[in-house]
Amino acid sequence: MKDVVLVFALVLAVVSCSKYEALVVRRDPPTYCGIRKITKQALIVKGTETVPGEWPWHVAVYHVSDGGRTRKYTCGGTLIQRNIVLTTASCARYGVDKPEGAILVELGQHNLQESFAQTRQIPISQAVVHDSYEEGENKFDIGILKLKTLANYSDYIQPACMPTSVQKIETFEDSLGTIVGWGFYEAGKLSDTLQSAQVPVIPILTCLQSNRDFFSRNINHGMYCAGLQNGTAPCFGDAGGGMFFRSGQSWFLRGIISFTSRVYTETAGCNTSDYFGLVNVEHFLPWIKQTIVSLGSGRRRTTK
C-alpha cells in the first residue's frame, strides 16, 4: 500500500475548534486509573507542548539492536496495567520471536533528549500482535507489550482507564479527544518534548467522502477516523500513541493512532490536511482481555 504511511509523528497546527464540544461520559469513573497526579498545565501559546506528568500513561517505545548497544525511538504506547502496554501491531511486531529486551519502554518520559529522575526504563519480555494482522496492512493493527517487571506508579507514571463495551465510538462523533506523541512536527523531525493536540472523532461516512479511494481501502471494521484537515495530524513517531477522552477526573483510552495517507511535503510525507485512522479500542476489548490472561498464565506465544 504505497500511499499509506504508518503514522509516527504529531504535526500540530493552530486551529479554532469552537464548533466541537468535548464529550463527558456520565458515569462515576474508577479512581485507580486515568488520574493525573500533576495538576500544572503548560502555559504555552496554542497549548501544544505538554508538561511532565500531564500524560503519565503515555510511554516511549524503543527498538533495541546490536546486543543492546543501539536503541531507536520508534513509536508510542499506553500503559493500562503495571506490566501491560497497548500499541500498534506494526510497532509490537519487532519484538515477536526475539529475546527479552528487543523492545524497551520508557515510562514517565517527557523529553526524549534528557534524563529525568522520574523516568523508568523497562525491557519487554513478550510482544503479541493480533492473530489476523498482516505486515503492511492496517487491519487488526493492535499489539500488546508485556513488561519484564512491574511498573511502580508515581506522579509521572499512571495507567489510563479502558473503555467499557457499552461505550461505542459512534457516541463520540464530532467530540474532541486528545492525541499525544513525540512525532515529527513542521520542521520534519521528531519533537524533543511530548506534544498534544485536540481533534474530533469523524463519522465514517464523512471520512469516506473526504477521500473515498484511500479510506475505502484502509478504514476497516474495528477502526475509526479523526482529525481536522487543517494541518493538525499525526505523522512519523506517533503510531501506537492513544486518543484520550476525559470522564469526570479520569482519562479513558478510546483509540490507538494507526495511519494517515502519504503526501510528499516538507513534513516528511505525512498528509496533515487529511483525516487519519485509529484502532477502536472498545472493539478489541475481548482480544485484549484474553491476551492479557494468556500472558499472565504464561501460555501466550509471541508468534501470531
Side-chain angles (χ1 to χ4, degrees), residues 256-279:
I256 303 172
I257 301 171
S258 177
F259 71 90
T260 187
S261 58
R262 179 185 294 276
V263 61
Y264 293 98
T265 69
E266 67 280 2
T267 54
C270 303
N271 190 347
T272 62
S273 297
D274 209 346
Y275 300 129
F276 57 95
L278 302 95
V279 176

Side-chain angles (χ1 to χ4, degrees), residues 20 33 43 74 84 109 119 124 135 149 156 188 202 226 268 275 294:
Y20 299 104
C33 63
L43 298 176
T74 306
I84 297 293
Q109 181 59 280
T119 302
I124 297 304
E135 182 181 357
T149 58
Y156 302 92
I202 301 300
Y275 300 129
S294 297

Side-chain angles (χ1 to χ4, degrees), residues 13-40:
V14 184
V15 296
S16 171
C17 303
S18 58
K19 62 180 289 189
Y20 299 104
E21 294 183 357
L23 179 69
V24 176
V25 180
R26 293 184 177 179
R27 72 186 187 90
D28 293 328
T31 58
Y32 55 84
C33 63
I35 302 294
R36 285 175 175 158
K37 303 301 182 181
I38 303 296
T39 58
K40 178 182 177 183

Side-chain angles (χ1 to χ4, degrees), residues 25-267:
V25 180
R26 293 184 177 179
R27 72 186 187 90
D28 293 328
T31 58
Y32 55 84
C33 63
I35 302 294
R36 285 175 175 158
K37 303 301 182 181
I38 303 296
T39 58
K40 178 182 177 183
Q41 299 295 309
L43 298 176
I44 304 290
V45 176
K46 321 306 182 190
T48 58
E49 186 168 336
T50 69
V51 297
E54 190 174 351
W55 300 99
W57 34 84
H58 187 74
V59 308
V61 180
Y62 293 83
H63 289 175
V64 180
S65 58
D66 297 330
R69 292 184 295 272
T70 302
R71 69 174 195 172
K72 179 182 179 182
Y73 170 79
T74 306
C75 50
T78 302
L79 185 71
I80 61 170
Q81 293 184 15
R82 290 186 184 274
N83 66 337
I84 297 293
V85 168
L86 272 186
T87 186
T88 56
S90 53
C91 179
R93 64 178 296 275
Y94 179 84
V96 172
D97 290 333
K98 286 188 173 67
E100 289 185 356
I103 295 179
L104 178 76
V105 300
E106 280 190 338
L107 312 175
Q109 181 59 280
H110 178 253
N111 189 315
L112 295 179
Q113 302 302 319
E114 298 180 7
S115 297
F116 291 91
Q118 67 267 18
T119 302
R120 295 291 179 268
Q121 297 181 358
I122 302 179
I124 297 304
S125 62
Q126 284 184 279
V128 179
V129 302
H130 195 282
D131 294 345
S132 299
Y133 172 75
E134 297 292 338
E135 182 181 357
E137 298 289 332
N138 298 318
K139 297 178 181 178
F140 307 101
D141 191 18
I142 185 170
I144 288 179
L145 303 175
K146 181 181 179 181
L147 280 60
K148 185 175 181 179
T149 58
L150 298 178
N152 293 319
Y153 294 153
S154 68
D155 288 352
Y156 302 92
I157 300 173
Q158 291 289 319
C161 294
M162 294 288 284
T164 67
S165 59
V166 299
Q167 295 176 304
K168 302 301 181 183
I169 194 63
E170 290 78 12
T171 64
F172 291 80
E173 290 178 354
D174 294 330
S175 300
L176 290 174
T178 303
I179 54 175
V180 293
W182 284 284
F184 278 47
Y185 62 103
E186 292 87 344
K189 62 180 182 179
L190 288 174
S191 171
D192 291 341
T193 57
L194 188 62
Q195 304 288 303
S196 69
Q198 286 190 313
V199 294
V201 173
I202 301 300
I204 289 295
L205 182 60
T206 302
C207 189
L208 290 171
Q209 291 173 339
S210 71
N211 190 340
R212 185 172 297 276
D213 180 62
F214 176 76
F215 285 110
S216 64
R217 290 182 286 111
N218 292 289
I219 284 292
N220 304 286
H221 191 53
M223 306 188 76
Y224 70 93
C225 279
L228 287 165
Q229 293 186 307
N230 65 349
T232 302
C235 191
F236 299 106
D238 288 323
M243 184 174 185
F244 305 98
F245 286 82
R246 187 173 180 175
S247 173
Q249 297 300 312
S250 297
W251 289 87
F252 287 77
L253 175 66
R254 294 294 326 182
I256 303 172
I257 301 171
S258 177
F259 71 90
T260 187
S261 58
R262 179 185 294 276
V263 61
Y264 293 98
T265 69
E266 67 280 2
T267 54

Side-chain angles (χ1 to χ4, degrees), residues 284-295 299-300:
F284 288 100
L285 282 176
W287 179 84
I288 293 169
K289 293 175 181 177
Q290 179 183 3
T291 302
I292 292 175
V293 169
S294 297
L295 286 171
R299 296 194 303 270
R300 183 78 189 195

